[in-house]
Amino acid sequence: MDSPFDSEETDTPFSPPPQPAQPVRLSTSTFSAIPQSAVPAIDFRASLNDEQYAAVTAEPGPLLVLAGAGSGKTRTLTYRVAYLLSKGVRPGEILLLTFTNKAAKEMLHRVNDLTGVEPNRFWGGTFHSIGHRALRMFGEDIGLPKNFTILDADEAESLLKQTVDAESKGFFKDKTNPKPGPLFNVISLSRNTQLPIGDTIEKYFPQYKDIAYLIPPFAVAYEKKKREQNVCDYDDLLEYWLRLLQKSPSVTQYFSERFRHILVDEYQDTNTVQAQIVDCIATHHRVMAVGDDAQCIYSWRGADFENIATFMDRHPGTAIHRIETNYRSTPEILNFANRILDAQPHRRAELAKELRAARGHGMRPQVVQTMDDREQADFVIRRIRCLVDEDGVSPSEIAVLYRSHFVAMEMQLALSRAGMPYHITSGVKFFERQHIKDIVAFVRFVYNPADELAWQRIACLLPKVGEKSAQKIHAVAREHAALMRQDLIAVLETDDVKTKVPKGALDDWPSFCASLSEVAETMRAAPPAKAFDMAVNGWYGDYLRGAFADYIDRLEELKALVGFASRYETMQDLLAQIVLLNGETSDRQVDPDAEAIKLTTVHQAKGLEYDVVFVIGVADGYFPGRRAIEDGDVEEERRLFYVASTRAKNELYLCYPKVATRAGPGGMLLEPSRFLKEIDASLYDILKPPRRSYW
């Protein structure tokens, strides 16, 4: 998508009158000079291992530091800053770019502990925060007034909604179209990856492919609206910073000469815009990019694997430093993890790493096949009991990792039944997730139309229907059903009831009522799972498509719920069990500081470590996911599996069910993950747990 600054028009608020170009005057007074003698003497050789020392003391120039999992990446960056200071580099001549303010603060405080140099003497922070500073200084060079304000996420979505309503009043009335939040996600990802919106939708949001042609004009109108109001959203801080560097050579020169040394943390997570910003500033090529290509797992947030893979092409003469000594895991776990990467089809030799353990030997990873997900959860519970009761492992040092939320449903239920405290660090518990509660309420209402709370939850999903209007509709429907001696659902489409339906909901009302009737008819003639499946594939399925950008993942979770429903023969038993299970998982409030088992997606576990790790659902279709397999692109999934395996310090268990119960009665046979099949069997043990007995 073109930037608003491509226009030659001069009558907009962002376009100042043409002025002769003025060179930026560089002044050394802006640099905070620090005498070399003021930095305490540090014995870098004694403080670092050979690999870290080589990277820390490398000659200035393009440096790519491939820091493997558990190898001391943060230590290397911290000591590099300290080393530069010890060589007389001023704090103001160092730019440290990170992905979280927390990471920047942690590193600069460590530098302070080492050298005594206060953090506020550096330019260090996230790409967005540094971009904001740059735009405040020089934004007028691209027509951005100094007094621009920044929209938070809610404000940006609100402005986008106003823009779309002005362009197409009926767009948001169609429930299958993305709501403002998901629509903003589509446009944002397109901007951060510099992919056309159509390509972005095809790759990441296929549920919107039929309306892809409608969205580019919305994006253009949204940009124009921001310009008129002199506001920026979060993505503008990157886009406009890059535009500033590309359009104003004097500004680029200023930053290049000011920041003699640029350090980038987690470089593998940079998106296209961020990588170009670094390249623009680092015209001197004195840039140290620290990262791990094997841990590039955020393409769905815009991270581009090619940035780290092609760094040496964009910065000729790059010196590559590998930090391969791992202080976290046993040799057996690392031998297994190293081989995960061997099967990459197009791996660049320059990026190859071989993690080596600094620790002594331990047990080999254990591959565990169970009959289904219930037996998988049973195995994990029994093994955890043994670890805690017999081996003295703290519950907080045990993690259960999974690729997708739906894989963890049975695990959550099993832990709750066993009375084991656990934290979910990657979201809310399964039965508390919004779409799960929605579909359960939908079916609950059909089963018991007098259930007003269930009715309110689903009715309020309709446009312009609030709690009071939902109550009025239900009251009228109840009275009319009693008068006509009919079922309440059967009278919802009568004129007497429709008079209470807000105008904004009338377009959805027929399909909403039809879906309720279909579920009711199915419920009378078929098992409970069929009724749930009908609900998922009816009106609510269309609503889900527009309401959530991660529609595909949420649909998988609803299918898991359908599989769970297949265990029950009556709707009464199923709904009662869901309520009881929800109570079991919700009422058990765990003190955040208490020792508890961690349940989390692999994405959320990146950067963390545990004594014992269980990776569940290690089967094709689960890990790698079905969509990745169908698209023929499983390489990011492979890296994700590598990240999962390298979280474990002492013990690693890779579990998978033989039968996918979420597929319904009879289940679906599963194969172990292709990532397991690619690894030599001598690097792991196959463990066959005894059926329903304790260790």
Side-chain angles (χ1 to χ4, degrees), residues 50-58 63 65 76 80 288 321 323:
D50 292 345
E51 299 160 342
Q52 294 167 343
Y53 180 77
V56 164
T57 61
L63 303 171
V65 180
T76 302
R80 176 64 174 182
M288 173 185 274
H321 292 267
I323 305 180

Side-chain angles (χ1 to χ4, degrees), residues 570-589:
T570 69
M571 186 62 71
Q572 178 179 340
D573 289 344
L574 172 58
L575 293 177
Q577 190 65 16
I578 288 175
V579 173
L580 292 173
L581 291 173
N582 197 14
E584 288 179 12
T585 58
S586 299
D587 293 343
R588 196 176 302 281
Q589 298 298 324

Side-chain angles (χ1 to χ4, degrees), residues 443-568:
V443 174
R444 259 178 57 195
F445 172 71
V446 172
Y447 180 73
N448 175 19
D451 188 337
E452 288 192 52
L453 290 177
W455 164 256
Q456 285 180 23
R457 182 172 186 94
I458 60 171
C460 287
L461 299 177
L462 293 162
K464 306 299 182 182
V465 176
E467 187 174 315
K468 289 185 178 179
S469 55
Q471 290 173 346
K472 289 179 182 178
I473 296 169
H474 190 270
V476 170
R478 188 172 59 243
E479 292 174 4
H480 195 58
L483 180 65
M484 302 296 294
R485 295 184 179 180
Q486 288 183 292
D487 181 84
L488 188 148
I489 293 175
V491 304
L492 287 176
E493 279 206 270
T494 62
D495 291 339
D496 289 327
V497 176
K498 289 173 70 174
T499 58
K500 299 299 180 182
V501 177
K503 184 178 179 180
L506 286 175
D507 288 344
D508 268 18
W509 192 251
S511 61
F512 176 75
C513 295
S515 184
L516 288 169
S517 297
E518 290 168 353
V519 173
E521 183 178 347
T522 303
M523 195 177 293
R524 288 190 289 268
K530 291 289 186 182
F532 267 89
D533 190 53
M534 182 65 70
V536 169
N537 289 300
W539 176 88
Y540 186 77
D542 291 336
Y543 166 83
L544 189 78
R545 184 178 293 109
F548 301 103
D550 58 347
Y551 159 78
I552 294 175
D553 292 336
R554 291 178 186 259
L555 186 61
E556 287 289 337
E557 293 173 29
L558 290 174
K559 290 179 180 178
L561 181 63
V562 172
F564 175 79
S566 68
R567 304 175 188 174
Y568 297 87

